[in-house]
Structures are given as C-alpha cells and as structure tokens.
Amino acid sequence: MFLVLLHLAGGVALLTWGLHMVESGIMRACGAGLRQVMAGSLSNRFKAFLAGLGVTAVLQSSTATGLIASAFAARKLMTPVTGLAIMLGANVGSTLIVQAFSLDLSWLSPACLVAGMALFERGKGSQHGNIGRALIGLGLMLLALALLVGTMRQAETAPAVRSILGVLTGQPLLTAGLAALLTWCAHSSTPVVLFVMSLAGAHAMPLDSALAMVLGANIGSALNPYVEGAKGNDNVRKRLPTGNLLLRGGVCLALLPLVSLLADLLSGWSSDASHLIAHVHTLLNLAIAVVFIGLLGPLAELLERLFPDNRQAESPDAPRYLDPSAIGSPSVALACATREALHMGDVVEDMLRRSIPALLGDDRRMVSEVVRRDDAVDRLHEAIKLYVTAVTREGLEPADGRRAMAIMSFVINMEHIGDIVDKNLMELAAKKIKGKLRFSEEGAAELLALHEQVLDSFHRAQAAFVSSCVKTAERILDDKVTVRDLEREGADKHLLRLRDGRPESILSSSLHLDVLRDLKRIHSHICATAYPILEQQVAAE
C-alpha cells in the first residue's frame, strides 16, 4: 500500500515538474512574442478569446495567461470585456494538452527527451536551450502519465486503494474539494485531470466521482489566478481573476449536485473512460465560453462596481512598471525593471537637484519634501531588488544575467545617493537653518558649481544605464577629475577665506567642507553605475 501511494505521489510530482519545465521553457523562448500576440488581439472579444486559447495552448498554463491579461488590464491596455474573453479562451486552451495526452503517445516521450537534451546541452541559456527545456518537460509529462497508468493498473485490485477511493464514492463535494486543493497546489489543472484519467481508465474510480474531480480541478484552476491577483491593493488587477472564478467556478459548483445524472447520460458515449474524461473537460470549458461570451458586458460592469479603480490615491512614487506576469520571460521582465529603475532615478534626481537650493535658501518646506521622498526611494529599491531576484532564480542567458546585475548596481547606488541627500545634506541644511548660518557669496558659488557638475554626471549616468553606451560611461569616469578639482579648489579657497578672518566663513566652516565632501561621495556612487556597462562591453568582446 505504501509503495503504491509513493509511486502515485512520484508520478504526480514528475507530471507537475514536467509541466513547469514546459511553461518556463516556452516563456523564456517565446514569452515576448506571446505577449505581442495577446496585445494585438484587443479589438474585440472573439479575437481576444482566440488569443487566450492560443497563448495558453502553447504555455499550458491558464494562470500565466491570466496574469498577463491582468497586467494589461491594470495598465488600461484592454477593456474588462476583452480581458474576460481572454480568460475564457485560456480555460479552453488549458484543456488541449489533456486531449493530446488521451491519445497513445508512448513513442513521443523518449523522442522528446532525446531531442530536448540535445538542444539543451547545445545551447544552455540560449533560445535552443529553452526549447530543449520545454521538450524535456513534455517528455517527462508523458513518462509520468505512463507511470501513473501502470501504477493504477497494478493497484486496481488492492483492498486498501479501493477503500480510500470508496470513501470518495457518492461524496461529490468532498471529491471536488480534494481535486480543487490538488490543482491549487500544483498551480495547474492538467496534472490533476490526467491523474483522474488514469484512475478512470484503470476502472479504479466510478465515472461520477471522476466527473466530480474534473469539476473540482476546474474550480482549483480558477482559484490560482484569483489568489495571485488578490495580492496587493490594486483593485483593477482583481477584476479578471474574480470574473473568471465567478464564471468557471460558479458553473462547476452548480453542476456538482448533478454528477450522478451526468454520469448516467455520458456512460454510453465511450467505452474508454479516460477519453471520456478528456472530452468532458474540454466540452465543459467550451460550453462556458459559448454561453457567456455574449454576456460579458454586464459581468464587466458588476466587476467595476465591486472593484472600483483605487489607484488615484496611490503615491506617484509607488512602483509602476514591475509586472509580475513577465517574470517568466526574462527579457520582458528586465525591461520592466529597467523602467522602474529609471523611475527611481527620477525621484533621486529630484532630491539631488533640490538639495543645494534648499540648503542655500533656508527653505524648511523644501527640506521636508526632500526628506520625505527618500522613503519612496527606499520602497522602490526594495521592490526592484525583490523583482530582479525573482527573475534570476532560474538560469538566465549571459546577456540577461549581466543586464540584471547592471540594474541591481544602478538601484543600489541610487539608494545610497538618496541616503546621502537625506541623512547628510538635509541634516546639514537643518543645522544651518537652526543656527542661522550663512555662506559667503564665493562659498555659495563654489557649492553651486560642484552641484551642477554632479547633476550633469547624474544625467549622463541615467542615459548610459538606458543605452548601455560605453562612451557615455567613460565620460562619467572622466568627470571624476573635474569633480575632484572642484572639490579641492572649493576647500582651498574656503581655507584662504578662513585665514583672512571672514566671519561668515568661520561660522559655517564645518558645514561648507561637509557639503563639498558629500557631493563628492555622491559622485563616487554615480561613477559606480558606469562600471557594469564597461564590464558588459568587455564580456561581449
């Protein structure tokens, strides 16, 4: 009994892992193209339905398709009706691989494994490697399915197995709940439905219980994008997963009390129970799409009332571009992270630009605003760091890996610059205001000149980060000489004024030298953003 359960658990685990490899391999190889296909289908609900069906048939994950659609909807790139049509198509698309696996494809498993391994070894981290990864995953899924079928045939006569399955007989709610839980854990209905097919094909489970598990698997599959969309406070992202759960989950719940009647009606359709389960899974989702695709307007209005757009109240400094649905496609995800890093850079640039005018002008209000914006810098730094870390959890192509490190270097140095402005320059400004201190006209001019040079270098750093231009990065490093000369010249002239006994220079002496030092420190962090760009050029050569 223990060995039977162990083999079953191993078969389901292998099936789930194979599905994960197919999804991740396809997303890495074709993720950007699939997103373009979806973006080009937003003119009407029928095109959107076909796009959702096609993208999910390739990805074999309605959850991934739902996350992409939710991200598009959150940016107002599609209407709720179009987004719901994509979800209906995704539900149908996720059943196609079940149809394929209901055929005799035993010869395909070794072929996929051999071809996939050859491609993977030939081009690790490349396009060929990603396609090879997907083929290996497909081969593992077919192998796992054969393992499950063989195990169930051996266990069919085992009394303990029959006792466990007997508990589920006549308990559609319990059976569906178990299937929904398994689907939620596996993040896909495919391995659960294939497992049910193996049970039904081996005559280890009656048809009504198998139908209840199929309904439960569909409910669990609708739960996954709902749970992912519920994270965070963005109501717009919650609309599509909730609508999909209402349609798919609601229909399945309504059919649960009728599974015995449905089993009686369907029992004569096919002598092969596994094929029948695959057909029911597909026809169920196709019927939901046909019935509700014309009624999506009222549902969209209901969802807009239930989840009103609440993003107007969000801070303009909150993360804007970190799309969770793009993580599976590194090139797209890193582009999102780059946009967010530039957003963070704009906030830091605003702090740096206003810091010296606030210091020289004794503007308490401006000092408070600059200090407040450092909190936004910290939030953006944390969000970008976690996002890029999620992208790099699995192997990246060399160029993507270098780009990820360049993004991390940029945001870390931006965060350091923000801290220097907040905790050093603004504290000096507060001390100057409190002590009613003044800089000499010459001293103020020296600070402004150095500040202007640092700002110029900062703008070059932003341009170099976007373009990866080596000449711009080299120009930033050349600016070090200019900044060092301005800092040294300002310090020397300040000491000369002290020797002449000028009172304003004596009172503000330590402040003046501290500001020069902090601006030089800021420029050091600006220069640090140029080194990854130069390293990328060396690696490319």
Side-chain angles (χ1 to χ4, degrees):
M1 176 59 190
F2 174 75
L3 287 177
V4 170
L5 292 176
L6 185 61
H7 278 90
L8 288 176
V12 172
L14 186 60
L15 191 63
T16 304
W17 180 250
L19 182 65
H20 168 73
M21 291 188 70
V22 172
E23 179 188 345
S24 59
I26 293 296
M27 278 296 287
R28 289 173 183 276
C30 314
L34 292 175
R35 294 170 73 89
Q36 290 176 359
V37 168
M38 190 177 293
S41 65
L42 306 182
S43 57
N44 65 67
R45 67 186 72 187
F46 299 103
K47 284 186 178 180
F49 172 81
L50 293 175
L53 188 154
V55 169
T56 307
V58 174
L59 284 180
Q60 282 312 306
S61 174
S62 58
T63 300
T65 306
L67 287 174
I68 295 173
S70 295
F72 280 18
R75 297 180 191 174
K76 297 185 177 179
L77 298 177
M78 65 169 62
T79 64
V81 170
T82 306
L84 289 169
I86 286 177
M87 300 296 282
L88 291 177
N91 296 340
V92 177
S94 65
T95 71
L96 297 184
I97 195 170
V98 174
Q99 287 289 340
F101 280 7
S102 68
L103 305 174
D104 182 12
L105 301 175
S106 57
W107 60 271
L108 192 57
S109 176
C112 287
L113 289 172
V114 171
M117 183 58 69
L119 285 172
F120 187 77
E121 290 297 327
R122 177 187 172 189
K124 287 183 179 178
S126 68
Q127 193 85 337
H128 287 101
N130 291 325
I131 294 173
R133 179 187 180 91
L135 286 174
I136 292 171
L138 184 59
L140 291 177
M141 290 181 70
L142 291 164
L143 186 63
L145 186 60
L147 176 63
L148 285 172
V149 172
T151 302
M152 288 312 305
R153 283 174 179 165
Q154 294 174 13
E156 182 181 358
T157 58
V161 174
R162 286 189 171 276
S163 298
I164 293 174
L165 296 176
V167 173
L168 301 177
T169 303
Q171 300 287 337
L173 189 60
L174 176 62
T175 306
L178 176 62
L181 178 62
L182 291 174
T183 302
W184 181 78
C185 292
H187 284 272
S188 173
S189 62
T190 301
V192 177
V193 175
L194 291 175
F195 178 55
V196 174
M197 286 169 56
S198 67
L199 290 174
H203 306 289
M205 173 178 281
L207 184 57
D208 58 344
S209 297
L211 292 175
M213 289 201 77
V214 170
L215 294 175
N218 278 276
I219 294 171
S221 184
L223 277 173
N224 280 317
Y226 175 78
V227 172
E228 294 295 327
K231 296 176 181 178
N233 298 318
D234 188 351
N235 279 349
V236 177
R237 284 185 181 270
K238 299 176 183 178
R239 291 174 182 169
L240 298 188
T242 303
N244 184 54
L245 182 61
L246 289 174
L247 293 179
R248 197 177 187 186
V251 169
C252 292
L253 283 174
L255 291 176
L256 265 180
L258 306 175
V259 289
S260 297
L261 178 60
L262 290 173
D264 293 337
L265 292 174
L266 297 173
S267 57
W269 278 26
S270 174
S271 58
D272 189 335
S274 63
H275 284 176
L276 182 60
I277 292 298
H279 296 332
V280 168
H281 183 47
T282 300
L283 290 173
L284 170 66
N285 286 282
L286 190 58
I288 293 172
V290 170
V291 170
F292 289 104
I293 197 166
L295 304 174
L296 295 179
L299 177 60
E301 293 176 3
L302 174 63
L303 292 171
E304 288 176 341
R305 286 197 297 269
L306 291 175
F307 300 102
D309 191 348
N310 60 345
R311 289 175 300 177
Q312 287 81 1
E314 286 187 4
S315 167
D317 296 334
R320 300 175 185 173
Y321 307 111
L322 302 180
D323 184 356
S325 69
I327 288 178
S329 182
S331 58
V332 178
L334 292 176
C336 294
T338 298
R339 293 182 69 190
E340 199 64 68
L342 286 173
H343 175 209
M344 178 182 178
D346 290 340
V347 178
V348 175
E349 190 271 344
D350 181 68
M351 293 174 63
L352 179 60
R353 178 172 47 81
R354 298 204 289 175
S355 59
I356 297 304
L359 177 76
L360 297 178
D362 295 338
D363 191 332
R364 292 180 183 272
R365 181 177 178 181
M366 190 181 294
V367 169
S368 298
E369 290 176 355
V370 171
V371 169
R372 178 183 56 79
R373 297 208 81 183
D374 187 57
D375 294 334
V377 171
D378 292 340
R379 288 196 301 272
L380 289 168
H381 170 253
E382 185 70 14
I384 296 169
K385 179 180 68 176
L386 294 175
Y387 187 82
V388 174
T389 300
V391 175
T392 58
R393 283 198 180 118
E394 296 186 33
L396 299 178
E397 295 181 17
D400 286 339
R402 290 191 294 270
R403 185 56 183 168
M405 292 304 101
I407 293 170
M408 291 296 289
S409 173
F410 184 82
V411 298
I412 288 170
N413 283 288
M414 290 298 106
E415 197 268 340
H416 287 326
I417 293 171
D419 283 345
I420 294 172
V421 173
D422 172 29
K423 296 177 173 58
N424 294 84
L425 289 178
M426 292 303 94
E427 285 190 7
L428 294 174
K431 184 187 294 186
K432 178 174 176 288
I433 294 170
K434 184 177 180 180
K436 298 182 179 180
L437 303 176
R438 293 287 182 273
F439 293 122
S440 65
E441 290 184 6
E442 297 91 334
E446 292 158 8
L447 294 178
L448 286 171
L450 180 55
H451 178 244
E452 189 67 27
Q453 179 60 51
V454 171
L455 267 179
D456 287 344
S457 294
F458 189 97
H459 295 149
R460 273 191 278 275
Q462 289 179 301
F465 174 67
V466 176
S467 64
S468 297
C469 178
V470 174
K471 289 185 178 180
T472 306
E474 291 173 344
R475 175 69 186 277
I476 295 168
L477 297 182
D478 292 340
D479 288 343
K480 289 176 67 175
V481 177
T482 304
V483 169
R484 184 172 63 244
D485 291 344
L486 286 173
E487 187 265 342
R488 184 180 299 162
E489 181 182 351
D492 290 344
K493 288 182 177 180
H494 176 71
L495 293 176
L496 286 175
R497 289 192 294 272
L498 283 178
R499 192 176 62 182
D500 293 341
R502 297 177 62 173
E504 67 273 18
S505 298
I506 295 172
L507 293 173
S508 63
S509 175
S510 63
L511 260 69
H512 188 93
L513 295 175
D514 286 345
V515 173
L516 291 173
R517 177 205 63 199
D518 290 335
L519 288 174
K520 186 179 178 183
R521 285 175 60 205
I522 288 172
H523 194 266
S524 297
H525 287 294
I526 294 172
C527 291
T529 66
Y531 293 119
I533 299 169
L534 300 177
E535 291 170 2
Q536 287 182 58
Q537 178 66 18
V538 172
E541 294 174 353

